[in-house]
Amino acid sequence: MDLLCIGDVMVDVRVDAGGLARGGDVHGRVLVQPGGTSANAAAWAAWDGAEVRVHGGVGTDLTGRLVAEALRDRGVKTHLTPFAQAATGTMLVVHEAGERSMVADRGANALLGPDSLPGALVCGAVLVSGYLLMHEDTHETAVAALERAVAPLVAVEAASWPLVEAFGVDRFFASTERATVILANALEARSLTGRAGPEAARALGERYQLACVKLGTDGAALVVDGELHRAPTAAIEEADPTGAGDAFDGVLLGALARGVPVREALDRACRAGALAASSLQAWPPEGAA
């Protein structure tokens, strides 16, 4: 495997109604599709040509079977533990009057334990979900994944800035000592370092061999062994940024694991993030990149 993605496997329900009526009915667009940090990253990495496997938890319900089938259809290998006592995780994303609101039900993701993982995670790169790491019920599983990784690139993503601040910055750094790669967006990086943009990437680069800060329309800043790399993002008309960071992470790690030069891997990742943000579909278009 080029990349192993450890953590969240979800179903996304996206609603764009233009305005909800309390106690009433409205017509709008409703999309149901596979999602979750790990599933999203894996699908995009496979689209870019990487050999990928996802380790996660799902329910024994219809949605769990559909997500597993969808991953396999995109060329992603799966190691999904079924849990009869919980439904497959679900994310509700509501677009209303130009604002985005989300409700997450972790479902079976919250039951994923260390015994669901192999004794050794041997591959080119491992990506551990920050949601797995910073929720108490799965913290031990994320730490086990980092400890069992046998890979040149052992990555963790920072999930969300409120979660980082609730979990604790010092605890985050202590929990990720085994990681060699940190992936964060601008707000997450500020929460971790108190700095912005490339300076946040430089600060994180003092702790990790590779530190990447995703800057939305300003592209990304990547520090590798102390050297700063910058890449722009193509101008797009944003449809929904949900999953764009996952797309970036999967493509970047999958490319680096295959030996793609740093600057080219960063450009590919920025392109994937822009494609994801410009579409209401969380996963890449059918076919090769």
Side-chain angles (χ1 to χ4, degrees), residues 8-10 87-90 104-110 131-132 135 137-138:
D8 308 285
V9 177
M10 309 276 284
T88 300
T90 303
D105 177 356
R106 296 185 72 214
N109 292 294
Y131 293 102
L132 196 73
H135 280 101
D137 45 18
T138 53

Side-chain angles (χ1 to χ4, degrees), residues 111-159:
L111 301 178
L112 190 70
D115 56 349
S116 295
L117 303 179
L121 300 169
V122 183
C123 56
V126 172
L127 173 60
V128 177
S129 164
Y131 293 102
L132 196 73
L133 177 76
M134 290 184 281
H135 280 101
E136 296 301 335
D137 45 18
T138 53
H139 174 72
E140 183 182 354
T141 307
V143 172
L146 293 172
E147 292 176 345
R148 296 177 192 181
V150 183
L153 300 170
V154 182
V156 64
E157 56 89 26

Side-chain angles (χ1 to χ4, degrees), residues 1-6 51 53 55 119-128 144-156 177-181 209-210 253-254 256-258:
M1 291 291 105
D2 298 312
L3 174 63
L4 298 182
C5 297
I6 316 296
E51 293 288 330
R53 185 167 72 236
H55 292 260
L121 300 169
V122 183
C123 56
V126 172
L127 173 60
V128 177
L146 293 172
E147 292 176 345
R148 296 177 192 181
V150 183
L153 300 170
V154 182
V156 64
E177 286 183 348
R178 285 275 296 125
T180 60
V181 180
Q209 178 184 340
L210 186 155
L253 291 173
L256 291 174
R258 303 195 312 278

Side-chain angles (χ1 to χ4, degrees), residues 19-262:
L20 301 179
R22 182 181 295 275
D25 299 327
V26 296
H27 291 280
R29 186 177 187 186
V30 179
L31 295 175
V32 180
Q33 54 196 12
T37 298
S38 299
N40 290 342
W44 281 92
W47 171 79
D48 192 56
E51 293 288 330
V52 194
R53 185 167 72 236
V54 171
H55 292 260
V58 294
T60 55
D61 48 18
L62 174 62
T63 51
R65 294 192 293 274
L66 290 176
V67 171
E69 182 179 346
L71 283 165
R72 291 191 290 268
D73 285 347
R74 291 305 186 95
V76 176
K77 293 180 173 60
T78 61
H79 189 284
L80 302 179
T81 303
F83 296 100
Q85 62 270 47
T88 300
T90 303
M91 172 76 79
L92 175 65
V93 183
V94 179
H95 292 267
E96 183 181 13
E99 297 291 334
R100 181 184 63 158
S101 302
M102 297 186 288
V103 179
D105 177 356
R106 296 185 72 214
N109 292 294
L111 301 178
L112 190 70
D115 56 349
S116 295
L117 303 179
L121 300 169
V122 183
C123 56
V126 172
L127 173 60
V128 177
S129 164
Y131 293 102
L132 196 73
L133 177 76
M134 290 184 281
H135 280 101
E136 296 301 335
D137 45 18
T138 53
H139 174 72
E140 183 182 354
T141 307
V143 172
L146 293 172
E147 292 176 345
R148 296 177 192 181
V150 183
L153 300 170
V154 182
V156 64
E157 56 89 26
S160 75
W161 69 266
L163 194 55
V164 168
E165 296 191 354
F167 185 75
V169 172
D170 290 342
R171 187 182 178 198
F172 181 91
F173 287 140
S175 298
T176 60
E177 286 183 348
R178 285 275 296 125
T180 60
V181 180
I182 179 72
L183 302 157
N185 66 23
L187 291 175
E188 294 154 5
R190 183 181 288 276
S191 293
L192 288 168
T193 66
R195 303 182 190 180
E199 291 309 309
R202 290 187 188 278
L204 291 169
E206 295 175 2
R207 291 180 176 272
Y208 303 91
Q209 178 184 340
L210 186 155
C212 188
V213 177
K214 296 164 279 187
L215 301 171
T217 56
D218 290 329
L222 174 67
V223 172
V224 181
D225 294 325
E227 182 180 357
L228 177 67
H229 303 263
R230 290 296 307 270
T233 295
I236 61 166
E237 182 176 345
E238 184 178 283
D240 185 350
T242 307
D246 304 333
F248 179 100
D249 296 347
V251 169
L252 178 68
L253 291 173
L256 291 174
R258 303 195 312 278
V260 174
V262 170

